[in-house]
Amino acid sequence: MIERTASPRLGCDLPDRLLAVRAAEGDEDSFAVLVQRHSRSLLALARCMLGNPQDAEEAVQDAFVSAWRHLPEYRHRAEFRTWMYRITVNRCQTMCRRRPPPLPLDTVAEPAAGDAWSQPARAAEQDAATAALFRALAELDAGQRVCWILREVQGLPYKEIAHVTRTGEQTVRGRLFRARRSLQEAMGSWR
């Protein structure tokens, strides 16, 4: 009897669809590949939505746990990536409803010595601009904020954003237009 060796590298060249089918059948290695493949972008999405790295990690972990539990029900109507974005967005929105988002958003990691931004005045200006952007994002309604993050930070096409948010492409375009206009007004003094 040949014993199978478990390795996340085993299915790295396989498409998400096949990995998801295998994972739904209980193949933990296939799911590990999916987690490895998508966790970075999901974490970036959650950080933008929640503004806190710890909350973002919790949201993404919860999203993957939920996905693992519901994989047998996944019908491949959307790409696995889109399905995971939807689960993560829903988890982040739930966390936002349960507690107000923490606002140490104006804290940015101190630049390393010798960095171009290491001069105190430039670092302070960059910190203030980043804080202003996060405050402006927090002022957007949830639909606009999710659409803006998925488009501008994650680079998703309108069709995929529509699927993640369960709206139409025209709704996505409208939300993006309003979000961009609001952010442009809020960030006008930083130009």
Side-chain angles (χ1 to χ4, degrees):
M1 185 159 137
I2 299 174
E3 189 170 318
R4 190 171 140 240
T5 58
S7 168
R9 301 270 327 144
L10 187 63
C12 284
D13 57 340
L14 297 176
D16 285 356
R17 183 185 272 302
L18 181 57
L19 290 168
V21 168
R22 287 180 173 183
E25 294 170 350
D27 183 354
E28 293 178 13
D29 292 339
S30 293
F31 192 71
V33 172
L34 291 168
V35 169
Q36 182 180 5
R37 190 176 286 173
H38 297 287
S39 60
R40 177 182 241 156
S41 62
L42 294 173
L43 195 54
L45 167 66
R47 276 191 201 126
C48 287
M49 289 187 69
L50 299 170
N52 180 306
Q54 292 81 18
D55 288 346
E57 287 176 19
E58 180 183 336
V60 171
Q61 182 176 0
D62 288 351
F64 277 120
V65 168
S66 178
W68 175 253
R69 288 181 183 146
H70 293 97
L71 264 172
E73 301 160 21
Y74 173 53
R75 299 291 175 238
H76 306 281
R77 289 185 203 114
E79 292 180 38
F80 180 81
R81 173 180 83 152
T82 304
W83 188 60
M84 283 305 306
Y85 275 123
R86 181 184 299 165
I87 294 169
T88 304
V89 165
N90 288 344
R91 181 63 187 138
C92 289
Q93 288 176 333
T94 299
M95 289 176 78
C96 285
R97 281 191 298 271
R98 287 188 181 154
R99 60 181 177 243
L103 288 180
L105 298 175
D106 57 348
T107 59
V108 175
E110 196 171 310
D115 189 332
W117 286 98
S118 64
Q119 297 173 349
R122 291 180 112 179
E125 184 177 340
Q126 181 66 27
D127 289 353
T130 302
L133 176 60
F134 277 113
R135 280 192 302 274
L137 281 171
E139 292 296 317
L140 296 176
D141 78 33
Q144 291 175 10
R145 185 172 48 254
V146 168
C147 288
W148 188 87
I149 291 168
L150 290 173
R151 179 68 182 167
E152 302 301 333
V153 177
Q154 298 293 321
L156 267 60
Y158 295 117
K159 185 176 183 176
E160 200 167 342
I161 296 169
H163 196 80
V164 168
T165 59
R166 295 181 180 174
T167 60
E169 284 186 57
Q170 285 306 110
T171 302
V172 169
R173 290 178 189 277
R175 287 177 178 174
L176 281 169
F177 175 79
R178 288 187 296 280
R180 288 172 179 151
R181 187 177 57 202
S182 294
L183 291 174
Q184 189 175 22
E185 289 172 12
M187 298 301 291
S189 63
W190 291 98
R191 289 185 191 194

